[in-house]
Amino acid sequence: MQNDNFEQTKAFGFPYWEYSSLHEKGFCLGQLVFKEWGKNMSLLTYFDLHSGFFGNGKFLTFRNSSSQYMPKNGHLDLSESKVGDFFILELQQKENGPSFIETIWHIPSGEDPSQLLKKIVSQRI
């Protein structure tokens, strides 16, 4: 049985079929286009990924011990993130499993995403 959120959103016309679970690792630019509550204290987020080859993706994030829906190395709560905002996502993948957001950075309005990505990568080297 599907939950009311899914049925209501499906009736509204959200194109679920355009967003799949990915099996990729790496950095990508993404715009948050939709989010909905999942089962077992989880949040499903749907991103248009502008990295050129990932397409669109959906990601599952669980509530942590601080009651936040934050990726493992995150610094922002996805439940509080605004639809339409842009982010840099670092994707990881467990063996034979779907991609998940390992780390996420919000891109402030007017900031150049490529400069932010350079800064992130340079701090890792």
Side-chain angles (χ1 to χ4, degrees):
M1 186 169 153
Q2 297 169 329
N3 65 31
D4 288 338
N5 283 349
F6 178 78
E7 286 303 320
Q8 290 169 353
T9 307
K10 188 176 172 187
F12 178 70
F14 183 74
Y16 284 100
W17 60 90
E18 293 181 9
Y19 297 83
S20 59
S21 295
L22 302 177
H23 297 277
E24 305 288 342
K25 293 180 182 179
F27 290 93
C28 59
L29 173 63
Q31 182 179 23
L32 180 62
V33 295
F34 188 70
K35 56 186 176 176
E36 69 180 349
W37 297 110
K39 297 178 182 178
N40 302 320
M41 294 185 276
S42 64
L43 180 67
L44 276 164
T45 52
Y46 297 82
F47 283 88
D48 284 347
L49 303 174
H50 301 273
S51 59
F53 60 92
F54 286 150
N56 298 328
K58 67 179 177 181
F59 304 97
L60 187 63
T61 303
F62 291 96
R63 189 172 77 174
N64 65 19
S65 60
S66 300
S67 297
Q68 297 172 311
Y69 293 86
M70 189 177 298
K72 182 179 176 183
N73 295 324
H75 59 278
L76 58 96
D77 185 340
L78 286 169
S79 69
E80 296 177 2
S81 297
K82 294 181 182 172
V83 168
D85 281 358
F86 286 89
F87 301 86
I88 292 176
L89 295 83
E90 180 181 12
L91 303 180
Q92 289 296 333
Q93 178 190 13
K94 291 185 179 182
E95 189 174 331
N96 298 322
S99 298
F100 61 92
I101 302 171
E102 175 83 9
T103 314
I104 187 168
W105 297 267
H106 180 256
I107 302 172
S109 181
E111 187 164 333
D112 180 2
S114 62
Q115 293 301 317
L116 181 57
L117 183 58
K118 283 181 187 177
K119 181 179 175 183
I120 291 166
V121 172
S122 69
Q123 290 174 349
R124 300 254 175 127
I125 299 175

